[in-house]
Amino acid sequence: MATRVIPVDPFDLVVFGGTGDLARRKILPALYRRFCAGQIPKEANIIGAARTDFDEAGYRAFVRDAITELVPAVLCAGDAIAAFCNRVHYIKLDAREDDGWETLAQIINPDRIRAFYFSVRPELFADLAERLYRHGMASGETRIVVEKPFGHDLASACELNATLAHHFDETQIYRIDHYLGKETVQNLMAIRFANMLFEPLWNSQYVDHIQITVAETVGIAGRAEYYDRAGAMRDMMQNHMMQLLCLIAMEPPAKFEPGAVRDEKLKVIRALDDVAPEDIVRGQYDASSDKLGYLDDVGNANSTTESFIALKTGISNWRWAGTPFYLRTGKRLKARTSEIAVVFKDAPHSIFGADAGRHANILTIVLQPNEGIELGVTIKEPGPGGMRLIDVPLDMSFAETLGPEAELVPDAYERLIMDVIRGNQTLFMRGDEVEAAWRWTDPIIAQWQEKGEKPLRYESGSPGPEDALGLMYRDGRHWREIRE
Ligand code: NAP
């Protein structure tokens, strides 16, 4: 199954923080893959910008090493890397000083699409916006891509929105949440809005509950300082999980276009219920035989920051009133997996009698590691011996469906960066969405901060604190197993 590629117009893309971890691991490999796919025109320029003293050859070597390490070998054959590196340049500059900015302004083509990727720590976003404006690069076909975290709370998010709005129109601002670029997340919209099968059942009359899990096996090593200030609520729940919740719960937009989709997502966030203290479980991972625990990882024995959170909420609107949404995310858990499970209600009456047991259809959208969609259906267990029922999956794994081509399906960063160049904001968060998400998040955090509550301990490699299981047991439900 060959993927269709429509080349974009020539552009200049500046990656501020072009020497950093995100640029090396995600942005540069993503650009290279799109280059190999024939989507990036030969006249495009990719310009890394940071304080490190690279000359052009040095930066090209840095880019080449990143690609060789991170892109499948099949894409690195021949002179593809050299051709790509010819399009790569480097400017040494500091976001907080004026040197280098005039040079940047001179090499940027004013008649082209110009994208500026803010892949630096958030404290520098305002400096970058201000200097782009002062050096005449903010107008015309300019777009800025702003990485997470977008604010630390409602007040800081509003302040950042206001700062950016000072120099850029909302149509120029691309707040990136890479979860939205995942193939399965977009497929979620296709499944809901391109099939007649699911949408009539997509409401509290037929859906018992929805659970969203984003489980990681890694700890917070390398990001300790940031993470201990943020915690799972700010790092994952307020953005990635909230976005998944929006897509699963929103009303059908009239069109698949930025304004319509983002309006519907905003309505979901605004209809979210407050979360009661008894509906939240926070945890911190313990040391394991070969790894440090959370407190040692952050070097702060008194830290009350959570590396795990599970909570139950609801959406007060006609579609969802009465259907609980259970969300959990954490570090150092049993397996690395992200999935959304829509658990349908039991059939109203079993003609097979009590012995047949209880069976529910579950639609599972797996975001990682093996992107795909699975529908659990109940069938008769084959063979003689009466009418025994079993649940089996109707499975659509992308890796199996696409075969070797699965490796070539654009990843989230590829898709999102190309959307920036095309000027398509559908999969990016609007300013009011981000603010609404913080408006919901802030009081939840305030609850435990006021009480000085400590997170519960949990074993590394476990599904999280025991109490998180209780959150669902007490409602007569259970979490799906965390498994690869
Ligand atoms: P990083 O590895 O620390 O890189 C930071 C980059 O900023 C470096 O290129 C650094 O280069 C540059 N920089 C620092 N101070 C600067 C200044 N005053 N002027 C100009 N450039 C400066 O951080 P990162 O992990 O790449 O993260 C970048 C952003 O992406 C952050 O907002 C982060 O929250 C977000 N993010 C990262 C990831 C990830 O997986 N890494 C995931 C999601 C979001 P020099 O030292 O050469 O100046």
Side-chain angles (χ1 to χ4, degrees):
M1 193 189 301
T3 37
R4 200 159 59 98
V5 173
I6 303 170
V8 296
D9 292 334
F11 62 87
D12 290 343
L13 168 66
V14 179
V15 183
F16 293 116
T19 57
D21 177 66
L22 185 69
R24 200 186 76 82
R25 284 191 310 109
K26 297 291 181 186
I27 303 170
L28 294 165
L31 286 163
Y32 175 70
R33 288 172 59 119
R34 287 297 89 205
F35 181 80
C36 291
Q39 195 161 24
I40 296 187
K42 302 246 174 313
E43 313 81 49
N45 290 314
I46 292 149
I47 301 143
R51 296 166 307 172
T52 301
D53 204 3
F54 271 130
D55 58 14
E56 198 140 280
Y59 189 62
R60 286 179 178 179
F62 168 87
V63 173
R64 190 179 327 109
D65 289 350
I67 292 170
T68 314
E69 182 190 328
L70 296 156
V71 176
V74 59
L75 289 178
C76 296
D79 59 1
I81 298 186
F84 176 74
C85 285
N86 276 339
R87 307 313 319 154
V88 173
H89 313 279
Y90 184 76
I91 296 269
K92 178 178 182 302
L93 55 70
D94 188 320
R96 294 192 157 147
E97 288 170 20
D98 281 322
D99 288 354
W101 284 86
E102 250 336 290
T103 317
L104 179 64
Q106 277 160 18
I107 64 167
I108 292 290
N109 189 331
D111 303 324
R112 280 187 178 184
I113 294 160
R114 301 177 293 185
F116 298 93
Y117 199 128
F118 291 12
S119 181
V120 294
R121 58 180 199 279
E123 297 88 289
L124 297 176
F125 291 169
D127 293 289
L128 292 178
E130 167 72 24
R131 286 203 154 70
L132 282 174
Y133 173 76
R134 260 205 270 143
H135 292 273
M137 291 177 274
S139 54
E141 285 289 333
T142 289
R143 285 126 211 205
I144 58 170
V145 184
V146 186
E147 261 297 338
K148 80 166 217 188
F150 198 92
H152 182 74
D153 52 18
L154 177 59
S156 53
C158 291
E159 194 183 321
L160 181 52
N161 270 337
T163 304
L164 298 181
H166 208 60
H167 301 308
F168 298 92
D169 187 75
E170 181 62 33
T171 56
Q172 295 179 288
I173 304 171
Y174 290 70
R175 295 174 195 78
I176 199 163
D177 181 332
H178 72 275
Y179 268 59
L180 293 184
K182 286 182 181 287
E183 188 71 18
T184 22
V185 171
Q186 292 166 75
N187 228 323
L188 172 59
M189 286 189 272
I191 285 181
R192 284 196 59 194
F193 304 131
N195 293 287
M196 197 53 209
L197 194 59
F198 297 111
E199 199 50 27
L201 307 179
W202 213 261
N203 55 55
S204 59
Q205 201 182 338
Y206 298 102
V207 175
D208 177 73
H209 74 275
I210 291 178
Q211 48 178 283
I212 305 179
T213 298
V214 176
E216 296 176 282
T217 49
V218 292
I220 46 106
R223 299 170 70 211
E225 197 192 323
Y226 155 74
Y227 196 91
D228 202 38
R229 274 184 283 119
M233 187 70 189
R234 290 188 170 96
D235 186 51
M236 296 297 291
M237 191 70 78
Q238 183 274 345
N239 39 59
H240 302 317
M241 302 199 66
M242 177 82 73
Q243 288 296 318
L244 299 180
L245 175 68
C246 285
L247 294 178
I248 203 98
M250 71 184 186
E251 296 301 315
K255 281 193 176 154
F256 187 59
E257 59 178 34
V261 171
R262 300 194 298 179
D263 284 349
E264 295 306 337
K265 288 197 310 182
L266 180 61
K267 284 184 210 160
V268 173
I269 304 175
R270 287 185 173 156
L272 274 179
D273 293 343
D274 296 342
V275 182
E278 62 272 22
D279 289 337
I280 304 173
V281 177
R282 295 164 68 232
Q284 254 178 10
Y285 58 81
D286 271 332
S288 59
S289 56
D290 58 340
K291 293 196 183 85
L292 297 177
Y294 182 84
L295 296 178
D296 287 321
D297 268 348
V298 294
N300 173 7
N302 297 317
S303 172
T304 56
T305 304
E306 74 286 350
S307 60
F308 173 97
I309 186 161
L311 60 81
K312 171 182 159 183
T313 186
I315 299 174
S316 287
N317 63 18
W318 271 53
R319 185 187 285 264
W320 292 119
T323 296
F325 288 73
Y326 300 91
L327 283 67
R328 69 177 162 169
T329 181
K331 303 267 181 204
R332 285 277 174 77
L333 296 180
K334 201 173 151 198
R336 173 177 171 262
T337 182
S338 300
E339 64 164 46
I340 307 169
V342 181
V343 181
F344 290 91
K345 290 187 173 171
D346 293 358
H349 164 69
S350 172
I351 64 168
F352 305 108
D355 289 350
R358 292 180 58 184
H359 298 272
N361 299 122
I362 303 178
L363 178 70
T364 312
I365 298 113
V366 183
L367 278 75
Q368 60 187 23
N370 301 314
E371 289 192 59
I373 287 153
E374 185 184 292
L375 177 64
V377 293
T378 305
I379 61 164
K380 176 189 170 296
E381 189 174 344
M387 200 65 177
R388 293 187 311 272
L389 303 182
I390 51 168
D391 296 328
V392 293
L394 289 180
D395 197 350
M396 206 279 279
S397 137
F398 288 173
E400 277 168 28
T401 310
L402 298 176
E405 295 247 352
E407 256 202 345
L408 307 180
V409 169
D411 83 358
Y413 280 91
E414 290 175 61
R415 179 183 318 275
L416 293 173
I417 295 171
M418 288 302 101
D419 277 356
V420 172
I421 305 300
R422 282 188 289 249
N424 183 348
Q425 291 185 302
T426 309
L427 300 174
F428 295 83
M429 292 174 294
R430 206 166 54 193
D432 52 1
E433 263 185 86
V434 179
E435 289 179 14
W438 280 118
R439 202 165 279 118
W440 179 78
T441 310
D442 273 6
I444 299 175
I445 295 175
Q447 281 177 26
W448 69 65
Q449 279 184 342
E450 271 161 29
K451 290 194 211 139
E453 238 172 51
K454 284 197 164 174
L456 304 167
R457 330 254 354 135
Y458 65 92
E459 226 178 283
S460 283
S462 73
E466 284 282 313
D467 288 36
L469 305 178
L471 191 70
M472 289 195 75
Y473 277 146
R474 127 191 132 195
D475 294 346
R477 303 184 173 102
H478 58 86
W479 291 105
R480 286 166 56 76
E481 198 192 332
I482 295 179
R483 61 188 160 94
E484 291 265 340

